[in-house]
Amino acid sequence: MTNQELAELIFPDIKLNKDDYEKKYPPRNLQQNTRITRFAPSPTGFVHIGNFFQALISYINAKSTEGIFYLRNEDTDKKREKKGAVELILETLDHYGISPDEYELNNKVHGNYGPYIQSKRKDLYRTFAKYLIEIGRAYPCFCTSKELSNLRELQTKEKARTGYYGEYAKCRNLSNEEIAEKIRLGAPYVIRFKSKGNFSNKFTFKDLVRGAIEFPENDFDIIILKSEDQLPTYHFAHVIDDHFMRTTHVVRGEEWLSSVPVHIEIFETMGWIPPRYLHNPLILKKDGESLRKISKRKDPEASMKYFEEKGYPPETIIDSLMTIINSNFEDWRRANPIEDFRHFKFNPKKMNSSGALYSLDKLDNISKNYISKMTANDLYTELCKWTKKYDPEFYKLIEKNKAYTVSILDIERGNKNPRKDFTCYSVIRKNIWYMFDELFDASKHKYDWQNIKDIQEIKEILALYIGEYYNVNDDKDTWWEKVKELCNNLSYASSIKEYNTNPQKYKGNIADISNVIRVAITTQSRTPDLYEILQVMGINRIKRRIKKLSK
Ligand code: GLU
């Protein structure tokens, strides 16, 4: 029995051949050096920060040459698949502004190289498994899991490498007749690639991050089609898809590094040029003194949803990741504070191969600076979008009081030292709540009185201040002069320096007095600029707050 006859017996329905697919998916008509990259997650219903990190590297890699970035849904492990997973991935990429140029959703294919869902490409993989059988480079393997575990035991006992290779690869020596007979009897089987590699030979390839890497040649007869559904394994699908989708650069996790020899062996067996490989490092976090992988179980930031829920502006997540993608990104950002990150020249050599340390403190820092530079109007718009989804009660309030909210957000904005206490949208309510009567009246107050605690004295200070010193029309200097006059009137030192030279002469100093005003209207002893707060609140609100104290 010839290989062709065997191939026909196994894949009677496969009519197209290698050339048909070369014609169906021709090389892309793009300028030389234009990069085609992809994001190829499994649809697990969870976008891990490590996956997103990869997507971003792929995206920036393609876009640095005005190339194409596409999304491929790797759904060959049907057990892990979750409904709605592709929507979630696309929504996440969209949210961060790195949407793919080609993808597939709800049976709508965007792009000429689809389907972009692996389970819909089954016949393509089967065509090439058939081809490999025809040329004698693949064969059905009937070993049961029991036989494979016995093999592992034997190899362990013999201190040999475990796996299906060389003389241990029992089914590689079956004759075509024996194979045909087993198939006719209905024995289940997988299809294995027949390796020609020799483990004693060295194999070198160039990873774009790590440079030249040496491995032994592959000699494993890896499974290319699984038995139950004839779906491909990752290795096989990678070779077929990245060839026919015409990927030029494969960005993937470093866990795939050691599989490169087998991937390249398959590419070469097919007569295809392999893509360039960029194996990205793991994302790590600091845990006490040590570094560890960001874990889905332990760390909320493992999920990209976390950042959305917290309300970090998408640009700040991109920047925080770009910082660990390329070591020169931060300098670039400093020199180009408002430039689109897409204009940064990505260079894989500037990636740290030993691990990318991600820090939430650093993100907060990036984000608070970013938010501090937004205009109050833009911040208001973004805050509305975020609260509408995540804090509808606050949304109603700020939507009803647009002008007032914008002026609150404008406090200490546009200064040389703008306020930087907004690390993300979810902390804003907590930091400005006291400005809104609805929130102020609804909460149980704990006034943070400092040196002056006697409520009678507090009331007297405030009554005098509002009655005789405060005028909404005063500019900031005049306003401060009047607080000083109030101090003089009440035997408080109008400067701290003066107080420190003669403490016994005074009841306290100007800091105590301004604190009384600040705490009375906000309950807090630390706030942004008091003058601006008073201006924004307006006299009626101020009076109401003070009156509340008298009750
Ligand atoms: N589906 C594979 C994974 O999630 C993709 C690896 C790759 O990008 O090639 O690990």
Side-chain angles (χ1 to χ4, degrees):
M1 182 180 222
T2 62
N3 288 342
Q4 271 77 10
E5 285 163 345
L6 178 65
E8 210 46 53
L9 175 72
I10 299 175
F11 300 104
D13 58 316
I14 294 295
K15 299 293 176 222
L16 296 182
N17 64 28
K18 216 171 163 229
D19 291 342
D20 296 326
Y21 281 108
E22 288 292 341
K23 277 199 210 98
K24 183 167 179 199
Y25 301 119
R28 291 164 184 268
N29 196 6
L30 293 170
Q31 300 227 311
Q32 228 201 341
N33 296 332
T34 302
R35 297 180 186 167
I36 318 296
T37 68
R38 84 297 196 273
F39 177 38
S42 305
T44 58
F46 184 90
V47 183
H48 191 282
I49 184 170
N51 284 111
F52 185 81
F53 177 60
Q54 259 162 27
L56 180 57
I57 299 170
S58 270
Y59 176 89
I60 184 96
N61 196 11
K63 296 300 160 187
S64 66
T65 62
E66 287 174 33
I68 288 173
F69 167 65
Y70 69 86
L71 174 69
R72 182 168 71 224
N73 178 7
E74 304 220 325
D75 65 339
T76 56
D77 185 352
K78 287 296 181 192
K79 281 179 255 92
R80 288 179 69 204
E81 186 170 0
K82 290 258 162 41
K83 256 188 97 177
V86 180
E87 281 93 325
L88 175 71
I89 292 163
L90 278 166
E91 271 167 29
T92 308
L93 297 179
D94 283 352
H95 179 75
Y96 292 101
I98 61 167
S99 306
D101 302 299
E102 298 172 9
Y103 61 95
E104 179 166 346
L105 184 68
N106 299 332
N107 290 324
K108 243 186 102 86
V109 182
H110 305 258
N112 296 329
Y113 290 80
Y116 294 88
I117 299 184
Q118 287 186 328
S119 58
K120 293 193 182 173
R121 300 168 68 82
K122 193 165 157 177
D123 279 352
L124 172 66
Y125 311 119
R126 293 173 72 241
T127 302
F128 285 87
K130 183 176 185 183
Y131 168 74
L132 288 177
I133 291 179
E134 282 167 4
I135 64 165
R137 294 301 304 275
Y139 61 90
C141 166
F142 301 89
C143 288
T144 61
S145 48
K146 179 84 188 112
E147 282 171 301
L148 294 175
S149 75
N150 288 346
L151 174 63
R152 216 168 303 123
E153 258 173 49
L154 175 75
Q155 289 168 327
T156 314
K157 214 160 82 203
E158 292 182 347
K159 299 205 170 14
R161 286 179 295 129
T162 54
Y164 208 81
Y165 60 95
E167 63 196 30
Y168 294 110
K170 203 172 100 190
C171 292
R172 109 191 303 238
N173 299 316
L174 293 175
S175 70
N176 286 350
E177 285 70 21
E178 286 171 305
I179 294 172
E181 184 55 21
K182 282 181 189 283
I183 291 177
R184 278 195 204 98
L185 291 173
Y189 58 90
V190 298
I191 307 286
R192 285 186 187 271
F193 175 64
K194 191 185 263 182
S195 171
K196 282 201 175 156
N198 179 344
F199 188 72
S200 325
N201 292 345
K202 295 277 175 270
F203 166 92
T204 310
F205 90 99
K206 194 171 156 242
D207 177 70
L208 292 169
V209 177
R210 292 160 175 81
I213 307 188
E214 196 177 79
F215 281 110
E217 269 180 17
N218 171 64
D219 63 348
F220 287 124
D221 285 356
I222 58 145
I223 297 175
I224 56 173
L225 288 194
K226 297 184 273 185
S227 111
E228 60 279 15
D229 43 17
Q230 281 203 342
L231 278 172
T233 54
Y234 167 75
H235 305 295
F236 197 49
H238 151 53
V239 173
I240 305 290
D241 287 344
D242 284 315
H243 174 69
F244 282 114
M245 293 178 164
R246 307 293 173 180
T247 309
T248 62
H249 290 64
V250 166
V251 175
R252 63 183 180 187
E254 62 183 11
E255 68 275 19
W256 298 111
L257 249 185
S258 60
S259 308
V260 173
V262 64
H263 297 158
I264 293 192
E265 192 187 354
I266 304 176
F267 271 107
E268 287 174 351
T269 306
M270 297 288 189
W272 298 334
I273 300 168
R276 315 260 248 137
Y277 287 102
L278 188 164
H279 290 89
N280 61 267
L282 277 177
I283 297 208
L284 305 173
K285 79 177 276 174
K286 222 172 165 169
D287 189 354
E289 281 311 291
S290 52
L291 297 181
R292 63 166 174 78
K293 204 177 143 182
I294 292 189
S295 126
K296 183 171 166 181
R297 211 165 30 84
K298 289 193 211 150
D299 309 309
E301 73 270 29
S303 165
M304 289 309 289
K305 260 269 160 277
Y306 169 81
F307 302 106
E308 237 178 287
E309 284 164 8
K310 280 266 180 182
Y312 284 100
E315 295 82 353
T316 68
I317 302 299
I318 296 283
D319 267 29
S320 69
L321 288 168
M322 286 304 297
T323 303
I324 58 172
I325 286 175
N326 266 187
S327 53
N328 54 332
F329 182 80
E330 259 184 291
D331 285 344
W332 179 85
R333 177 51 86 213
R334 228 168 279 128
N336 305 280
I338 48 168
E339 191 75 32
D340 187 323
F341 81 98
R342 292 168 189 84
H343 299 151
F344 170 75
K345 262 265 150 282
F346 166 72
N347 178 356
K349 292 208 184 70
K350 298 227 184 278
M351 192 176 291
N352 183 348
S353 62
S354 57
L357 178 60
Y358 193 72
S359 141
L360 288 177
D361 288 343
K362 181 129 200 178
L363 168 62
D364 279 346
N365 211 19
I366 291 173
S367 185
K368 73 183 184 198
N369 278 307
Y370 180 90
I371 295 178
S372 79
K373 292 196 190 95
M374 291 167 84
T375 64
N377 267 315
D378 287 350
L379 179 54
Y380 175 79
T381 308
E382 293 305 317
L383 187 63
C384 281
K385 276 196 226 156
W386 185 85
T387 50
K388 194 169 183 180
K389 190 156 175 197
Y390 294 106
D391 186 354
E393 183 194 75
F394 193 43
Y395 170 70
K396 261 194 229 136
L397 197 54
I398 64 175
E399 203 243 0
K400 203 173 75 194
N401 300 286
K402 175 168 179 189
Y404 183 55
T405 309
V406 172
S407 53
I408 295 169
L409 296 174
D410 209 25
I411 290 174
E412 282 189 16
R413 192 163 291 273
N415 300 350
K416 222 164 89 225
N417 290 315
R419 89 185 275 184
K420 290 197 177 163
D421 56 337
F422 303 150
T423 48
C424 51
Y425 304 138
S426 60
V427 306
I428 294 182
R429 175 176 176 162
K430 205 165 83 232
N431 291 2
I432 63 171
W433 66 275
Y434 52 76
M435 298 299 290
F436 296 91
D437 290 339
E438 290 86 338
L439 300 179
F440 195 89
D441 295 343
S443 64
K444 268 224 152 312
H445 302 136
K446 221 179 132 299
Y447 288 92
D448 189 16
W449 304 119
Q450 301 281 306
N451 293 341
I452 307 174
K453 291 191 172 57
D454 176 30
I455 194 71
Q456 228 22 68
E457 186 172 358
I458 288 169
K459 281 187 201 163
E460 277 165 32
I461 294 169
L462 291 167
L464 191 58
Y465 179 59
I466 292 302
E468 303 196 12
Y469 291 89
Y470 185 66
N471 181 340
V472 273
N473 300 319
D474 287 342
D475 63 21
K476 194 165 176 183
D477 290 339
T478 316
W479 168 78
W480 189 236
E481 282 311 313
K482 294 215 182 138
V483 180
K484 283 185 184 168
E485 281 171 29
L486 173 71
C487 288
N488 293 336
N489 185 338
L490 292 168
S491 301
Y492 283 78
S494 60
S495 92
I496 301 205
K497 197 165 149 225
E498 163 71 19
Y499 178 73
N500 286 341
T501 32
N502 263 322
Q504 67 293 347
K505 223 175 114 186
Y506 299 103
K507 285 161 83 180
N509 63 48
I510 190 159
D512 301 324
I513 293 294
S514 51
N515 200 58
V516 162
I517 304 167
R518 187 188 308 274
V519 177
I521 60 171
T522 70
T523 75
Q524 295 177 190
S525 60
R526 291 176 63 116
T527 69
D529 187 76
L530 180 57
Y531 172 75
E532 287 193 54
I533 290 181
L534 293 167
Q535 287 284 304
V536 171
M537 271 198 184
I539 191 67
N540 292 337
R541 202 176 265 109
I542 298 170
K543 282 186 175 157
R544 268 206 311 277
R545 299 262 160 121
I546 291 175
K547 210 159 147 207
K548 251 177 131 33
L549 278 176
S550 327
K551 284 192 190 140

